[in-house]
């Protein structure tokens, strides 16, 4: 085998038990939040529309925080990178508020 | 450490590009900014959904008495209540819940592959990448079933008033299922948004599965071992988590709210 000599010597490190445990804990949180959302969907009556929506939106932001912060590792990146990603997201919030407001004020399809 | 990769080991001075300003490699930074732009695309779709929905008539009556009509926006949990092999049972959101669980689990296996990559553990990377690919394919299969069910429709048809241009009269037609022309579940845009939003997300999952397979292939053939780091697993991992993140928002804004 000609290129066998070029195979590098690789030292495999043992699994980082604490880190892996943390990842599974985050997965558990995500699961629990999703189950909680289901509970709200079935237990809180549709008459409380506002309350339902705010719970769903809040839980979604918490889930997004865990996915981006822990799974995508953004929490542990340099502060400049962290804010370069987070600040532009404010535009999305603005867009959401503006468009839904517009939709309520302009019932063109009714 | 293995994970603060290429940029740190060039040996050049800071002023010659020897240090990376955000302590992340070029590829990883570009992936982050691509994902940010992709987030805007998905937001555009979801927010337009919000705009169109809030400008339509909402269903006012009792939830228990809900029936499909093209006159008002449907309650999503009344639309998505079918589960494979359980025909005739009303199981609102159960199947979507299973799909959400599958995608979250595949995100976990992906992050475990990244962790294994940091340790240069090729066998573990192979194992977790394979699980991630299986998760992605399972999710896509679920989506294929859901689309089929949505297109074919329920057992009872919805009545819709249409204007016949030949006779000049209004007449009632029966509608089953949905596509880009008719929709038994509610106003036409509801079906259109379903296809566009879940379709665009599904396309991302499909691309993700292809990328994951590429990474898996390169891992098995030892490309990353020879390269000395598994940063490609991290980059594609970022993409895969983003796909999961988008699903979290689609789940909330399309299925729950």
């Amino acid at each position: 085998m000609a290129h066998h000599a070029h195979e590098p010597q690789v030292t495999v490190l043992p699994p980082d038990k604490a880190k892996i445990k943390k990842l599974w804990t985050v997965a558990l949180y995500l699961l629990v939040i999703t189950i909680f959302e289901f509970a709200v969907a079935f237990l809180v009556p549709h008459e409380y529309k506002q309350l339902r929506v705010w719970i769903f939106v809040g839980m979604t932001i918490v889930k997004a925080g865990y996915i981006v912060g822990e799974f995508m590792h953004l929490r542990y990146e340099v502060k400049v990178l962290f804010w370069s990603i987070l600040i532009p997201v404010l535009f999305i919030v603005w867009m959401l508020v503006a468009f839904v407001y517009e939709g309520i004020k302009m019932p063109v399809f009714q | 450490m293995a994970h603060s990769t290429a940029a740190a080991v060039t040996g050049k001075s800071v002023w010659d590009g020897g240090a990376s300003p955000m302590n992340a490699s070029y590829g990883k930074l570009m992936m982050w900014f691509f994902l940010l732009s992709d987030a805007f695309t998905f937001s555009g779709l979801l927010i337009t959904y919000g705009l169109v929905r809030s400008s339509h008539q909402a269903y006012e009556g009792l939830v228990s008495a809900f029936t499909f009509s093209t006159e008002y926006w449907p309650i999503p949990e009344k639309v998505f209540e079918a589960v494979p092999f359980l025909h005739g049972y009303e199981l609102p959101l159960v199947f979507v819940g299973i799909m959400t669980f599958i995608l979250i689990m595949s995100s976990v296996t992906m992050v475990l592959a990244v962790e294994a990559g940091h340790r240069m553990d090729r066998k573990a990377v192979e194992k977790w990448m394979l699980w991630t690919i299986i998760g992605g394919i399972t999710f896509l299969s679920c989506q294929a079933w859901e689309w089929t069910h949505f297109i074919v429709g329920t057992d009872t048809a919805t009545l819709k008033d249409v204007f016949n241009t030949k006779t000049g009269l209004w007449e009632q037609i029966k509608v089953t299922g949905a596509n880009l022309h008719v929709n038994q579940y509610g106003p036409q845009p509801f079906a259109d948004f379903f296809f566009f939003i879940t379709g665009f997300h599904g396309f991302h999952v499909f691309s993700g599965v292809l990328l994951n397979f590429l990474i898996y292939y390169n891992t098995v053939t030892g490309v990353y071992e020879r390269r000395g780091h598994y940063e490609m697993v991290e980059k594609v991992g970022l993409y895969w988590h983003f796909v999961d993140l988008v699903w979290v928002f689609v789940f909330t804004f399309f299925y729950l709210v």
Side-chain angles (χ1 to χ4, degrees):
Chain A
M1 294 276 279
H3 69 274
H4 197 77
H6 297 289
E7 291 289 331
Q9 286 297 308
V10 178
T11 27
V12 177
L13 300 169
D16 187 343
K17 288 257 165 56
K19 201 169 157 190
I20 291 171
K21 200 179 164 201
K22 178 141 197 226
L23 295 175
W24 281 108
T25 317
V26 172
L28 188 69
Y29 290 158
L30 291 174
L31 198 66
V32 169
I33 295 168
T34 309
I35 291 168
F36 176 72
E37 282 182 315
F38 268 90
V40 172
F42 296 120
L43 299 178
V44 179
H46 279 264
E47 283 70 39
Y48 300 98
K49 179 117 184 90
Q50 293 293 321
L51 179 70
R52 285 168 59 101
V53 170
W54 284 113
I55 292 174
F56 291 144
V57 170
M59 291 296 107
T60 305
I61 292 169
V62 173
K63 280 206 275 189
Y66 274 117
I67 292 171
V68 177
E70 298 291 337
F71 285 178
M72 296 172 89
H73 213 256
L74 190 62
R75 256 186 65 190
Y76 310 98
E77 302 290 354
V78 176
K79 280 281 165 283
V80 189
L81 178 53
F82 182 84
W83 290 113
S84 318
I85 300 301
L86 226 59
I87 290 172
V89 173
L90 287 177
F91 286 107
I92 296 177
V93 178
W94 173 33
M95 187 156 102
L96 174 74
V97 173
F99 272 49
V100 172
Y101 178 78
E102 202 83 342
I104 294 164
K105 289 287 162 183
M106 271 200 322
V108 282
F109 300 108
Q110 287 186 12
Chain B
M1 282 305 287
H3 60 273
S4 57
T5 49
V9 290
T10 51
K12 289 180 185 168
S13 87
V14 176
W15 300 101
D16 289 325
S20 168
M22 291 181 181
N23 200 19
S25 71
Y26 175 78
K28 236 164 113 175
L29 274 186
M30 290 307 114
M31 181 54 92
W32 268 113
F33 290 124
F34 161 69
L35 293 180
L36 188 62
S37 73
D38 218 17
F40 274 87
T41 312
F42 273 109
S43 307
L45 281 170
L46 281 170
I47 291 171
T48 314
Y49 172 82
L51 167 90
V52 172
R53 183 187 178 161
S54 54
S55 65
H56 269 80
Q57 185 80 47
Y59 176 69
E60 304 286 357
L62 285 169
V63 176
S64 53
F66 178 84
T67 48
F68 293 132
S69 162
T70 51
E71 298 296 310
Y72 47 78
W73 205 261
I75 301 172
E77 66 180 57
K78 294 287 176 184
V79 181
F80 306 102
E81 55 167 31
V83 174
F85 311 115
L86 295 170
H87 187 84
Y89 292 91
E90 281 185 22
L91 300 162
L93 302 177
V94 168
F95 194 54
V96 198
I98 295 168
M99 287 167 73
T100 307
F101 177 70
I102 291 168
L103 214 54
I104 289 176
M105 285 315 288
S106 84
S107 226
V108 180
T109 55
M110 187 55 165
V111 85
L112 289 168
V114 173
E115 193 272 339
H118 288 162
R119 302 185 285 105
M120 299 299 289
D121 191 339
R122 180 164 133 186
K123 282 275 165 265
V125 176
E126 284 172 16
K127 179 178 79 177
W128 292 120
M129 282 312 295
L130 206 54
W131 277 115
T132 311
I133 293 166
I134 290 170
I137 291 172
T138 315
F139 179 85
L140 284 173
S141 315
C142 291
Q143 212 172 27
W145 186 89
E146 208 197 5
W147 270 50
T148 311
H149 186 267
F150 192 84
I151 292 167
V152 171
T154 55
D155 293 337
T156 17
T158 305
L159 296 172
K160 188 190 180 187
D161 291 322
V162 285
F163 187 71
N164 189 327
T165 47
K166 287 203 181 97
T167 59
L169 296 168
W170 284 90
E171 47 190 54
Q172 234 175 14
I173 56 158
K174 280 184 173 179
V175 182
T176 34
N179 51 46
L180 294 177
H181 299 292
V182 290
N183 175 19
Q184 78 157 111
Y185 309 103
Q188 188 55 42
F190 177 75
D192 299 349
F193 277 112
F194 173 79
F195 290 123
F196 272 87
I197 293 173
T198 65
F200 197 52
H201 176 263
F203 178 64
H204 274 74
V205 179
F206 177 71
S207 318
V209 170
L210 293 186
L211 289 172
N212 284 345
F213 184 77
L214 194 72
I215 299 303
Y216 172 70
Y217 181 83
N218 282 348
T219 308
V220 172
T221 51
V223 171
Y224 303 132
E225 200 162 85
R226 281 191 293 279
R227 194 177 287 176
H229 61 80
Y230 282 80
E231 205 197 54
M232 279 310 290
V233 182
E234 270 181 75
K235 283 182 238 175
V236 173
L238 283 177
Y239 177 78
W240 190 252
H241 295 313
F242 176 75
V243 168
D244 182 27
L245 177 73
V246 169
W247 182 255
V248 165
F249 280 89
V250 173
F251 176 65
T252 301
F253 290 109
F254 205 92
Y255 294 92
L256 283 180
V257 169

